[in-house]
Amino acid sequence: AAKLEALIALSNEAVTETRRMVETDSEKRLAIVKQREAASIEQHELVKTVLMDVTTTRDGLEQERHRVAALYSKLDLSITSFNRANEDWQRKFEEARAHYDTLRQLLEKDKKAMIYEVSQERKLVEHQHEAFIDDKMKSISEIQAERMAIMKERTEAALARERHNKDESTLLLSLRTKEEEYQCRLEA
Protein backbone atom coordinates (compact mmCIF):
# COMPACT_ATOMS: atom_id res chain seq x y z
CA ALA A 1 0.00 0.00 0.00
CA ALA A 2 2.86 2.28 0.73
CA LYS A 3 4.34 1.33 -2.61
CA LEU A 4 1.04 1.92 -4.28
CA GLU A 5 0.70 5.27 -2.60
CA ALA A 6 4.29 6.05 -3.60
CA LEU A 7 3.51 4.88 -7.13
CA ILE A 8 0.27 6.97 -7.17
CA ALA A 9 2.19 9.93 -5.77
CA LEU A 10 4.89 9.35 -8.38
CA SER A 11 2.23 8.95 -11.01
CA ASN A 12 0.52 12.16 -9.83
CA GLU A 13 3.82 13.91 -9.90
CA ALA A 14 4.46 12.56 -13.39
CA VAL A 15 0.93 13.65 -14.48
CA THR A 16 1.45 17.03 -12.81
CA GLU A 17 4.83 17.30 -14.44
CA THR A 18 3.41 16.18 -17.77
CA ARG A 19 0.49 18.62 -17.35
CA ARG A 20 2.95 21.35 -16.45
CA MET A 21 5.12 20.44 -19.45
CA VAL A 22 2.04 20.31 -21.72
CA GLU A 23 0.87 23.65 -20.33
CA THR A 24 4.38 25.09 -20.80
CA ASP A 25 4.53 23.60 -24.27
CA SER A 26 1.01 24.85 -24.99
CA GLU A 27 1.95 28.30 -23.71
CA LYS A 28 5.08 28.24 -25.86
CA ARG A 29 3.08 27.05 -28.85
CA LEU A 30 0.38 29.62 -28.09
CA ALA A 31 3.08 32.30 -27.77
CA ILE A 32 4.59 31.14 -31.09
CA VAL A 33 1.10 31.08 -32.68
CA LYS A 34 0.37 34.54 -31.26
CA GLN A 35 3.77 35.70 -32.41
CA ARG A 36 3.11 34.25 -35.87
CA GLU A 37 -0.37 35.72 -35.84
CA ALA A 38 1.06 39.13 -34.84
CA ALA A 39 3.72 38.74 -37.56
CA SER A 40 0.99 37.70 -40.00
CA ILE A 41 -1.12 40.73 -38.97
CA GLU A 42 1.98 42.92 -39.23
CA GLN A 43 2.75 41.42 -42.63
CA HIS A 44 -0.87 41.90 -43.65
CA GLU A 45 -0.71 45.54 -42.49
CA LEU A 46 2.61 45.94 -44.30
CA VAL A 47 1.18 44.38 -47.47
CA LYS A 48 -1.89 46.60 -47.07
CA THR A 49 0.39 49.66 -46.61
CA VAL A 50 2.54 48.63 -49.58
CA LEU A 51 -0.61 48.04 -51.62
CA MET A 52 -1.92 51.46 -50.59
CA ASP A 53 1.47 52.98 -51.45
CA VAL A 54 1.43 51.17 -54.79
CA THR A 55 -2.13 52.38 -55.43
CA THR A 56 -1.20 55.92 -54.36
CA THR A 57 1.95 55.78 -56.49
CA ARG A 58 -0.06 54.39 -59.40
CA ASP A 59 -2.66 57.15 -58.99
CA GLY A 60 0.16 59.71 -58.68
CA LEU A 61 1.85 58.32 -61.76
CA GLU A 62 -1.44 58.42 -63.62
CA GLN A 63 -1.96 62.03 -62.57
CA GLU A 64 1.65 62.82 -63.49
CA ARG A 65 1.12 61.11 -66.86
CA HIS A 66 -1.98 63.26 -67.43
CA ARG A 67 -0.07 66.36 -66.31
CA VAL A 68 2.89 65.50 -68.58
CA ALA A 69 0.47 64.80 -71.46
CA ALA A 70 -1.19 68.19 -70.84
CA LEU A 71 2.22 69.89 -70.64
CA TYR A 72 3.31 68.13 -73.82
CA SER A 73 0.10 69.27 -75.51
CA LYS A 74 0.70 72.85 -74.31
CA LEU A 75 4.34 72.62 -75.39
CA ASP A 76 3.25 71.35 -78.80
CA LEU A 77 0.79 74.26 -79.09
CA SER A 78 3.52 76.67 -77.92
CA ILE A 79 5.97 75.28 -80.48
CA THR A 80 3.34 75.55 -83.21
CA SER A 81 2.56 79.11 -82.13
CA PHE A 82 6.28 79.91 -81.94
CA ASN A 83 6.84 78.45 -85.41
CA ARG A 84 3.97 80.58 -86.78
CA ALA A 85 5.32 83.67 -85.02
CA ASN A 86 8.81 82.84 -86.29
CA GLU A 87 7.51 82.46 -89.85
CA ASP A 88 5.65 85.79 -89.51
CA TRP A 89 8.80 87.39 -88.10
CA GLN A 90 10.93 85.97 -90.93
CA ARG A 91 8.38 87.16 -93.50
CA LYS A 92 8.34 90.63 -91.94
CA PHE A 93 12.13 90.59 -91.73
CA GLU A 94 12.40 89.67 -95.42
CA GLU A 95 9.90 92.42 -96.29
CA ALA A 96 11.83 94.93 -94.16
CA ARG A 97 15.12 93.83 -95.71
CA ALA A 98 13.67 94.17 -99.22
CA HIS A 99 12.33 97.61 -98.26
CA TYR A 100 15.73 98.53 -96.80
CA ASP A 101 17.50 97.32 -99.96
CA THR A 102 15.12 99.42 -102.09
CA LEU A 103 15.72 102.45 -99.86
CA ARG A 104 19.47 101.85 -99.95
CA GLN A 105 19.42 101.67 -103.76
CA LEU A 106 17.34 104.86 -103.92
CA LEU A 107 19.75 106.55 -101.50
CA GLU A 108 22.69 105.42 -103.62
CA LYS A 109 21.01 106.87 -106.73
CA ASP A 110 20.17 110.09 -104.86
CA LYS A 111 23.73 110.24 -103.51
CA LYS A 112 25.22 109.80 -107.00
CA ALA A 113 22.81 112.39 -108.42
CA MET A 114 23.60 114.78 -105.56
CA ILE A 115 27.35 114.26 -106.00
CA TYR A 116 26.98 114.90 -109.74
CA GLU A 117 24.83 117.97 -109.09
CA VAL A 118 27.26 119.31 -106.47
CA SER A 119 30.15 118.64 -108.86
CA GLN A 120 28.37 120.53 -111.64
CA GLU A 121 27.52 123.38 -109.27
CA ARG A 122 31.13 123.46 -108.08
CA LYS A 123 32.36 123.61 -111.68
CA LEU A 124 29.84 126.37 -112.40
CA VAL A 125 30.89 128.29 -109.27
CA GLU A 126 34.57 127.82 -110.15
CA HIS A 127 33.88 129.02 -113.71
CA GLN A 128 31.89 131.99 -112.37
CA HIS A 129 34.68 132.71 -109.87
CA GLU A 130 37.30 132.59 -112.61
CA ALA A 131 35.12 134.82 -114.81
CA PHE A 132 34.63 137.19 -111.85
CA ILE A 133 38.40 137.25 -111.20
CA ASP A 134 39.05 137.86 -114.92
CA ASP A 135 36.45 140.66 -114.98
CA LYS A 136 37.90 142.11 -111.79
CA MET A 137 41.44 142.00 -113.16
CA LYS A 138 40.21 143.56 -116.42
CA SER A 139 38.34 146.25 -114.45
CA ILE A 140 41.44 146.89 -112.30
CA SER A 141 43.54 147.15 -115.47
CA GLU A 142 41.00 149.51 -117.04
CA ILE A 143 40.81 151.59 -113.83
CA GLN A 144 44.62 151.74 -113.65
CA ALA A 145 44.77 152.73 -117.33
CA GLU A 146 42.12 155.42 -116.70
CA ARG A 147 43.99 156.58 -113.59
CA MET A 148 47.23 156.77 -115.57
CA ALA A 149 45.41 158.66 -118.32
CA ILE A 150 43.87 161.06 -115.76
CA MET A 151 47.26 161.56 -114.09
CA LYS A 152 48.77 162.19 -117.51
CA GLU A 153 46.00 164.63 -118.31
CA ARG A 154 46.46 166.38 -114.96
CA THR A 155 50.18 166.56 -115.46
CA GLU A 156 49.70 167.92 -118.96
CA ALA A 157 47.08 170.38 -117.68
CA ALA A 158 49.41 171.49 -114.88
CA LEU A 159 52.22 171.93 -117.38
CA ALA A 160 49.90 173.81 -119.73
CA ARG A 161 48.69 176.00 -116.87
CA GLU A 162 52.23 176.62 -115.80
CA ARG A 163 53.14 177.55 -119.40
CA HIS A 164 50.05 179.64 -119.68
CA ASN A 165 50.87 181.38 -116.36
CA LYS A 166 54.45 181.88 -117.57
CA ASP A 167 53.25 183.23 -120.90
CA GLU A 168 50.75 185.43 -119.09
CA SER A 169 53.46 186.70 -116.73
CA THR A 170 55.76 187.30 -119.68
CA LEU A 171 52.95 189.05 -121.57
CA LEU A 172 52.07 191.16 -118.52
CA LEU A 173 55.73 191.99 -118.03
CA SER A 174 56.05 192.86 -121.70
CA LEU A 175 52.89 195.00 -121.51
CA ARG A 176 54.16 196.84 -118.44
CA THR A 177 57.45 197.46 -120.09
CA LYS A 178 55.70 198.81 -123.16
CA GLU A 179 53.36 200.89 -121.01
CA GLU A 180 56.29 202.33 -119.11
CA GLU A 181 58.03 203.11 -122.40
CA TYR A 182 54.93 204.71 -123.73
CA GLN A 183 54.46 206.78 -120.60
CA CYS A 184 58.06 207.87 -120.73
CA ARG A 185 57.51 209.03 -124.31
CA LEU A 186 54.45 210.91 -123.30
CA GLU A 187 56.27 212.68 -120.56
CA ALA A 188 59.16 213.50 -122.73
Side-chain angles (χ1 to χ4, degrees):
K3 280 186 179 182
L4 185 63
E5 284 179 11
L7 189 61
I8 289 172
L10 188 64
S11 177
N12 281 339
E13 280 179 19
V15 167
T16 304
E17 184 63 29
T18 304
R19 194 178 287 151
R20 191 178 58 75
M21 283 176 64
V22 166
E23 282 177 4
T24 304
D25 189 46
S26 291
E27 282 175 6
K28 282 182 182 175
R29 285 186 182 195
L30 186 63
I32 288 170
V33 166
K34 282 182 180 177
Q35 204 173 20
R36 284 185 182 168
E37 189 180 344
S40 176
I41 289 169
E42 197 175 312
Q43 280 182 344
H44 180 69
E45 288 297 323
L46 185 64
V47 167
K48 196 174 172 185
T49 304
V50 167
L51 188 62
M52 282 176 64
D53 286 347
V54 167
T55 305
T56 305
T57 304
R58 189 188 65 206
D59 290 345
L61 286 173
E62 189 65 23
Q63 287 176 355
E64 189 64 19
R65 191 181 66 76
H66 284 304
R67 192 177 74 79
V68 168
L71 283 173
Y72 181 78
S73 177
K74 283 181 183 176
L75 181 66
D76 193 38
L77 284 171
S78 295
I79 289 171
T80 304
S81 175
F82 174 78
N83 286 338
R84 278 194 205 125
N86 190 38
E87 285 171 7
D88 285 346
W89 183 84
Q90 283 182 340
R91 182 181 49 77
K92 287 177 183 174
F93 174 75
E94 290 298 327
E95 288 172 0
R97 189 169 66 180
H99 182 65
Y100 168 75
D101 286 341
T102 306
L103 284 176
R104 189 174 51 76
Q105 289 170 1
L106 286 171
L107 282 172
E108 285 292 325
K109 284 181 185 175
D110 286 350
K111 182 181 170 186
K112 285 178 183 173
M114 198 178 291
I115 288 171
Y116 177 75
E117 192 177 325
V118 167
S119 170
Q120 293 300 314
E121 283 182 13
R122 194 184 82 230
K123 284 179 183 174
L124 180 66
V125 167
E126 284 176 357
H127 178 70
Q128 287 175 346
H129 181 68
E130 286 173 5
F132 172 75
I133 294 293
D134 288 345
D135 287 346
K136 190 174 179 181
M137 293 304 287
K138 199 183 280 182
S139 297
I140 288 170
S141 295
E142 288 174 1
I143 287 168
Q144 282 180 343
E146 283 180 19
R147 190 181 290 159
M148 293 296 286
I150 289 168
M151 284 177 67
K152 187 178 176 185
E153 281 179 17
R154 280 186 183 163
T155 305
E156 286 175 359
L159 285 172
R161 204 173 321 130
E162 195 178 317
R163 263 190 243 126
H164 178 68
N165 286 341
K166 221 181 207 184
D167 289 346
E168 207 174 82
S169 296
T170 309
L171 182 64
L172 278 171
L173 206 78
S174 161
L175 281 173
R176 267 194 207 141
T177 307
K178 281 183 182 178
E179 189 180 335
E180 284 175 3
E181 283 177 10
Y182 183 68
Q183 201 162 0
C184 280
R185 277 187 201 163
L186 280 177
E187 287 177 0

